[in-house]
Amino acid sequence: MISRDIVLPMIAGTALLTFAVRYLPITLLRGRYLSPILKRFLRYLPIGILSALVAQSTFLRGGTLNSGASDYYLHGIIVVMFLAAWTRSLAAVVFGGLALVGLLTFLGNG
């Protein structure tokens, strides 16, 4: 259990770290020329990190590999990929995936 005395400093530290991670590259690279290879790498970095986070939360839960017919997150990922290709709408992808996983979870646990 976390002590109440440490929660506020943890929130402040996390906020400061998040700000520094976003602010420092902007200030350090301002006015500098970046090579085309570095620009291309930086362009694909956010989607690569997001893909890694989604894959980890989809396939690994509790330190074990989950992939099967009863895995609702896997069904959600498949539907989300189809929705993304079909609609190209972020709202449709987010709400469609949430609705499907929520519905399958509700029906599976009911």
Side-chain angles (χ1 to χ4, degrees):
M1 188 80 172
I2 296 177
S3 169
R4 289 181 184 214
D5 298 333
I6 198 155
V7 171
L8 190 58
M10 285 175 59
I11 292 172
T14 304
L16 184 65
L17 183 64
T18 301
F19 176 76
V21 166
R22 293 167 193 241
Y23 180 75
L24 284 178
I26 293 171
T27 58
L28 294 176
L29 297 176
R30 184 181 351 178
R32 295 184 190 230
Y33 174 76
L34 296 177
S35 70
I37 294 172
L38 184 59
K39 281 184 180 180
R40 190 172 35 215
F41 172 76
L42 291 175
R43 185 177 340 135
Y44 292 112
L45 190 62
I47 193 65
I49 292 171
L50 183 62
S51 299
L53 290 171
V54 167
Q56 178 184 4
S57 66
T58 299
F59 297 113
L60 289 175
R61 277 188 297 288
T64 61
L65 182 64
N66 287 334
S67 62
S70 64
D71 188 11
Y72 304 142
Y73 293 153
L74 183 59
H75 295 231
I77 288 290
I78 293 168
V79 169
V80 160
M81 289 190 319
F82 283 117
L83 279 173
W86 184 45
T87 65
R88 302 212 183 258
S89 166
L90 181 61
V93 168
V94 169
F95 292 125
L98 283 172
L100 177 71
V101 171
L103 180 67
L104 290 175
T105 303
F106 177 73
L107 294 174
N109 291 335

